[in-house]
Amino acid sequence: MPKEGIKKLLIVCPAFVSDCLETLEEIEERGKETFMNAGGESYEMIPCLNTNLLWVAALAKWIEEYKMGNEYRILNNEF
């Protein structure tokens, strides 16, 4: 990417809701090392949702709804 003129990256991993070895080591550490060694100027990774209060509250709400019998909304992705 740096050879193509892309010198700054802001990374987000939308498939992960919490940081794990793949996001922390492979994407954040090794990805940054590879990019910077290739001539990149800036590589920043946006952290996953982890324990963000809004995420925890939404997850708790979905669990409560499922527990109360509202399986349809959760299982059919109707949010």
Side-chain angles (χ1 to χ4, degrees), residues 4 13 17 19 21 27 33 37 39-40 42 48 50 56 58 66 71-72 78:
E4 297 170 8
C13 298
V17 295
D19 291 309
L21 287 177
I27 299 170
E33 181 180 350
N37 287 339
S42 172
C48 295
N50 297 313
V56 173
Y66 187 83
E71 297 175 13
Y72 180 81
E78 292 187 9

Side-chain angles (χ1 to χ4, degrees), residues 9-76:
L9 288 181
L10 182 59
I11 306 297
V12 64
C13 298
F16 295 99
V17 295
S18 62
D19 291 309
C20 61
L21 287 177
E22 187 172 2
T23 57
L24 296 175
E25 186 202 340
E26 294 178 12
I27 299 170
E28 185 172 20
E29 293 176 14
R30 284 196 263 161
K32 181 177 185 174
E33 181 180 350
T34 301
F35 182 75
M36 298 303 281
N37 287 339
E41 296 173 2
S42 172
Y43 184 104
E44 186 177 345
M45 187 166 158
I46 297 172
C48 295
L49 295 171
N50 297 313
T51 57
N52 179 288
L53 294 179
L54 290 173
W55 167 244
V56 173
L59 187 58
K61 181 180 177 192
W62 296 339
I63 291 168
E64 283 299 318
E65 288 181 7
Y66 187 83
K67 189 172 80 173
M68 301 285 267
N70 189 358
E71 297 175 13
Y72 180 81
R73 178 177 175 202
I74 293 168
L75 297 177
N76 290 292

